[in-house]
Amino acid sequence: MSTAELHTLTGAYALHALPEEERLAFERHLGACEACTQEVRELSATAARLGLAVSAVPPPGLRERVLREIATVRQEAPPHSTSERSGVAPGRAGRWSSYALAACLAAAAAFGGVAVWQNQVAQDARQEALQARQQNEQLARVLAAPDARTSSGELEGGARGTVVVSRSANRAVFLASDMARPPGGKVYQLWFNDDGSMRSAGLMDPSATDDTVLLDGPVDGASGMGITVEPAGGSEEPTTQPVALMDFPDA
Amino acid sequence: MREAVHISRAPAPGPGLQELLVQVARGDQDAFTQVYDQVSGPVLGLVRSVLRDPAQSEEVAQEVLVEVWRTAPRYQPSRGSAMNWVLTLAHHRAVDRVRSAEAAAAREHRAALLDRTPDFDEVSEQVESRLEREQVRRCLRTLSELQRESVTLAYYRGLTYREVGELLSVPLGTIKTRMRDGLIRLRDCLGVSA
Ligand SMILES: [Zn+2]
């Protein structure tokens, strides 16, 4: 197979759709082709999203069986090499973070609502659950809107933000992963960027480093969003320099 | 009112999956329990979408999860997220199983494969998995029919590109290309690339 043909196999490889022999040939090519290596990383992460989308609820017995089994299974020794295999480009920091976002959503799904609510007074929990459900439905509508557009950006300290905007719903959702906690007594406040003037769009949960927030209020003419650190409870207008500014994706 | 929604709040902000997997690599069984809780649903769902048979799926899912424990020292965070690593492993195992089973008995229901769409509609109370599902489904709709079939028959059904080509009566070169450009479009729609 020619090299030009090999370059087109990234998709089939990421889907595990190559017969054994071609897979081995392509893996040899990967060792020498940085472009394909990079593309395979991204397409594998994309394929894994297809996997996350069919997540199931495991039967309770499985957990017990697996935990019992691992107690008797010896782990492999760590690989000796301290560096990446030659020819494979090391990943840039943060490259996978938008994927990690999906992972953390799945993680939250796995923890489930039960544990969250357990720690709360029943009455409050019902109130909050109701409110959260309504907001979640709105949030889901934004993400599922046919015109939903996504853009991602790196924030300070390796954190990553993704914003999803639906012009038809006139709402936006911000998803953060690996954000540093705000300093004590402070919160992250979100803002719509209306042509340089900032309009409050709500607060992020100060205890969460990964958070998904339905921005408070309509998108209207906003061209992007910003995040600032504000005193607990938030401010009327930004009182500090933004820690992040992101443009909304084009409609 | 400046009320924000927090849907992905874990009960207590604990370590992320990647960090947990690094702990697992050092033999930490408690960390593995937490890894299990995060990945077992996606692993089982993925295996089941490929294998269909519930009992066999559970068996393979168990093998995969034990393999996560056993081979955790191989995981290199610089090469990709922990969830990606785990799901890649799960997909490999499921595909290996379906191919070996089908090598023995020739594949009978080829045409039926086309009717079987993945279980996107499985009822889930969990908002986060519903969101993920809706986003993926929305993005799959942006693919051309041939792109979508090439990608989903390979990923959810474990077919090789040759089998997909035969099934759809499309030249193999075209299938390879559609798998690639279909995934690229999906990547861009989902915002996967940095
Ligand atoms: Zn190449």
Side-chain angles (χ1 to χ4, degrees), chain A residues 6-7 29 33 36:
Chain A
L6 282 166
H7 292 317
H29 170 71
C33 181
C36 281

Side-chain angles (χ1 to χ4, degrees), chain A residues 9-129:
Chain A
L9 291 180
T10 50
Y13 180 77
L15 294 166
H16 304 152
L18 292 177
E20 194 64 7
E21 215 168 286
E22 286 171 66
R23 182 177 67 80
L24 294 173
F26 183 71
E27 282 180 348
R28 278 193 299 277
H29 170 71
L30 273 184
C33 181
E34 200 171 311
C36 281
T37 302
Q38 181 55 38
E39 194 165 281
V40 161
R41 280 168 189 248
E42 293 173 2
L43 299 188
S44 302
T46 305
R49 295 285 296 270
L50 292 169
L52 275 181
V54 291
S55 183
V57 180
L62 182 62
R63 190 176 199 267
E64 205 182 308
R65 286 200 302 280
V66 169
L67 295 182
R68 206 169 40 219
E69 192 176 342
I70 64 125
T72 66
V73 171
R74 201 192 170 101
Q75 288 182 300
E76 282 184 0
H80 290 123
S81 72
T82 52
S83 61
E84 301 279 341
R85 205 173 54 192
S86 63
V88 178
R92 268 194 275 138
R95 167 157 300 281
W96 295 90
S97 306
S98 63
Y99 179 69
L101 167 70
C104 77
L105 285 179
F111 279 114
V114 179
V116 176
W117 307 130
Q118 268 169 2
N119 301 328
Q120 293 166 338
V121 182
Q123 185 65 27
D124 290 352
R126 264 199 301 278
Q127 282 284 344
E128 269 193 43

Side-chain angles (χ1 to χ4, degrees), chain A residues 1 7-12 14-19 22 39 41-59 62-63 65-67 69-71 73-79 84-85 88 91 95-96 98-99 102-103 105-112 115-116 120 128 135-137 139-140 143-145 148 150 152 160 181 189 200 202-205 207 210-214 216 233-236, chain B residues 1-11 13 17 24-29 32-34 36-42 44-46 48-49 58 61-62 65-66 69-74 76-81 83-84 87-88 91-92 95 99 118-120 122 125-136 138 140-141 150-151 154-156 159-162 176-177 179-180 183-184 186-187 189-194:
Chain A
M1 195 173 296
H7 292 317
T8 66
L9 291 180
T10 50
L15 294 166
H16 304 152
L18 292 177
E22 286 171 66
E39 194 165 281
R41 280 168 189 248
E42 293 173 2
L43 299 188
S44 302
T46 305
R49 295 285 296 270
L50 292 169
L52 275 181
V54 291
S55 183
V57 180
L62 182 62
R63 190 176 199 267
R65 286 200 302 280
V66 169
L67 295 182
E69 192 176 342
I70 64 125
V73 171
R74 201 192 170 101
Q75 288 182 300
E76 282 184 0
E84 301 279 341
R85 205 173 54 192
V88 178
R95 167 157 300 281
W96 295 90
S98 63
Y99 179 69
L105 285 179
F111 279 114
V116 176
Q120 293 166 338
E128 269 193 43
Q135 286 165 325
N136 283 341
E137 277 166 9
L139 202 154
L143 296 189
T150 303
S152 299
R160 187 140 189 100
R181 302 234 172 84
Q189 188 162 1
S200 178
L203 306 179
M204 293 181 67
D205 181 347
S207 66
D210 298 323
D211 200 5
T212 302
V213 186
L214 177 69
D216 198 14
S235 304
E236 289 299 314
Chain B
M1 165 162 141
R2 50 168 71 92
E3 188 66 36
V5 194
H6 314 293
I7 65 157
S8 60
R9 179 172 54 180
L17 189 55
V24 170
R26 298 193 204 107
D28 184 335
Q29 292 188 19
F32 180 81
T33 307
Q34 293 179 62
Y36 176 93
D37 289 338
Q38 296 190 34
V39 306
S40 56
L44 179 64
L46 172 55
R48 198 189 276 168
S49 92
E58 225 180 284
Q62 181 170 345
L65 291 158
V66 171
W69 161 260
R70 195 172 58 76
T71 62
R74 264 191 241 171
Q76 295 183 31
S78 64
R79 298 251 196 103
S81 82
M83 185 63 92
N84 189 29
L87 288 183
T88 301
H91 195 250
H92 268 298
V95 164
R99 288 188 191 154
D119 299 332
F120 282 129
E122 189 176 309
E125 285 305 305
Q126 271 141 6
V127 171
E128 291 79 6
S129 44
R130 212 175 65 217
L131 293 181
E132 177 66 22
R133 193 163 306 188
E134 276 165 5
Q135 211 184 349
V136 167
R138 176 176 65 77
L140 277 172
R141 280 202 299 265
S150 302
V151 167
Y155 193 76
Y156 290 127
L159 301 193
T160 64
Y161 77 87
R162 284 171 192 284
K176 285 189 267 193
T177 315
M179 285 179 172
R180 176 167 178 264
L183 275 182
I184 287 173
L186 205 52
R187 173 196 73 189
C189 179
L190 291 168
V192 170
S193 67

